Amino acid sequence: MPANHAADDAGYWADQMAAVSARRDVECFMHIYDHYAPRLQRYLLGLNVPAAQAEELVQESLLRLWRRSAQFDAARASLATWLFRIARNLYIDSVRGEPHWLPIQDGLEQLDLECTDSTTSSTEAFTDQAGLSRAIDELPAPQARLIRMSYYEAKSHSEIAHELSMPLGSVKSNLRRAFAKLQAGLRPSR
């Protein structure tokens, strides 16, 4: 398939991943690498990651793709979604120890962990998810939309800014305010 058409074809990328998973096909991996490495780099730079760190995170993301290729499921997500989520999670892991890490984002990550904890019953998990959905619904509509785009759709701040025709700084500041309201709404009453 010509490279310009491959970018839009989730089936093509799923086939490339199947070859990587089944046969450890280096050529297919290199197609994925050549296509996605620059996109991951731009995504991370859009999150204001320093260039050297972004390059390391891209390498680590693609290495993780190689190592965990058998975990990819095209029925659950496209390769792009899966790979960008890997990069995002690696970035979050890299900044957790830094002093500027927002406690709000840490709280959201903890909420994600609590919702998927194996000791949590399905009823508790449903209640937690329902509570989170309710809290998001109580936000002003523009902030709720930004939260959904960022976390449920796993879109970068740059992608959101482009899609909504908003300045990148406005997206970031509105997300920060939305997270603060969301965190305040999710705190247990004392």
Side-chain angles (χ1 to χ4, degrees):
M1 172 175 283
N4 58 346
H5 295 295
D8 300 325
D9 188 0
Y12 172 80
W13 294 114
D15 291 345
Q16 296 295 301
M17 276 302 295
V20 170
S21 178
R23 301 185 311 270
R24 307 306 277 170
D25 190 313
V26 174
E27 186 175 332
C28 290
F29 174 76
M30 290 311 299
H31 290 153
I32 293 167
Y33 185 96
D34 291 343
H35 182 77
Y36 283 105
R39 287 161 176 78
L40 289 172
Q41 181 86 9
R42 282 192 302 272
Y43 167 71
L44 291 166
L45 292 173
L47 295 175
N48 294 321
V49 176
Q53 183 184 9
E55 189 173 326
E56 288 177 22
L57 290 169
V58 168
Q59 296 296 322
E60 181 61 31
S61 298
L62 289 159
L63 181 59
R64 192 163 287 185
L65 175 142
W66 175 262
R67 288 180 180 157
R68 298 182 180 176
S69 61
Q71 294 176 358
F72 174 70
D73 181 0
R76 293 183 65 207
S78 70
L79 177 58
T81 300
W82 191 65
L83 190 53
F84 278 81
R85 186 162 288 143
I86 289 171
R88 178 179 164 267
N89 290 343
L90 286 170
Y91 169 65
I92 288 170
D93 289 345
S94 75
V95 296
R96 275 204 171 119
E98 295 180 11
H100 69 274
W101 175 251
L102 296 173
I104 297 161
Q105 290 174 324
D106 213 15
L108 285 173
E109 293 295 320
Q110 183 60 37
L111 183 62
D112 282 346
L113 290 173
E114 290 170 4
C115 288
T116 59
D117 186 358
S118 61
T119 61
T120 304
S121 73
S122 59
T123 304
E124 290 170 327
F126 176 77
T127 302
D128 287 345
Q129 282 295 95
L132 178 60
S133 292
R134 241 187 334 276
I136 292 171
D137 289 341
E138 290 172 4
L139 292 172
Q143 289 180 344
R145 184 174 185 197
L146 288 172
I147 294 274
R148 286 186 186 101
M149 290 175 81
S150 179
Y151 282 88
Y152 291 128
E153 299 174 26
K155 292 187 178 179
S156 71
H157 294 167
S158 300
E159 290 171 328
I160 295 169
H162 177 73
E163 189 171 321
L164 299 179
S165 300
M166 288 176 69
L168 182 60
S170 297
V171 169
K172 291 179 180 184
S173 61
N174 282 314
L175 273 170
R176 254 187 250 106
R177 283 193 290 275
F179 287 133
K181 286 181 186 178
L182 187 59
Q183 186 178 38
L186 292 174
R187 280 194 191 116
S189 302
R190 294 182 188 208

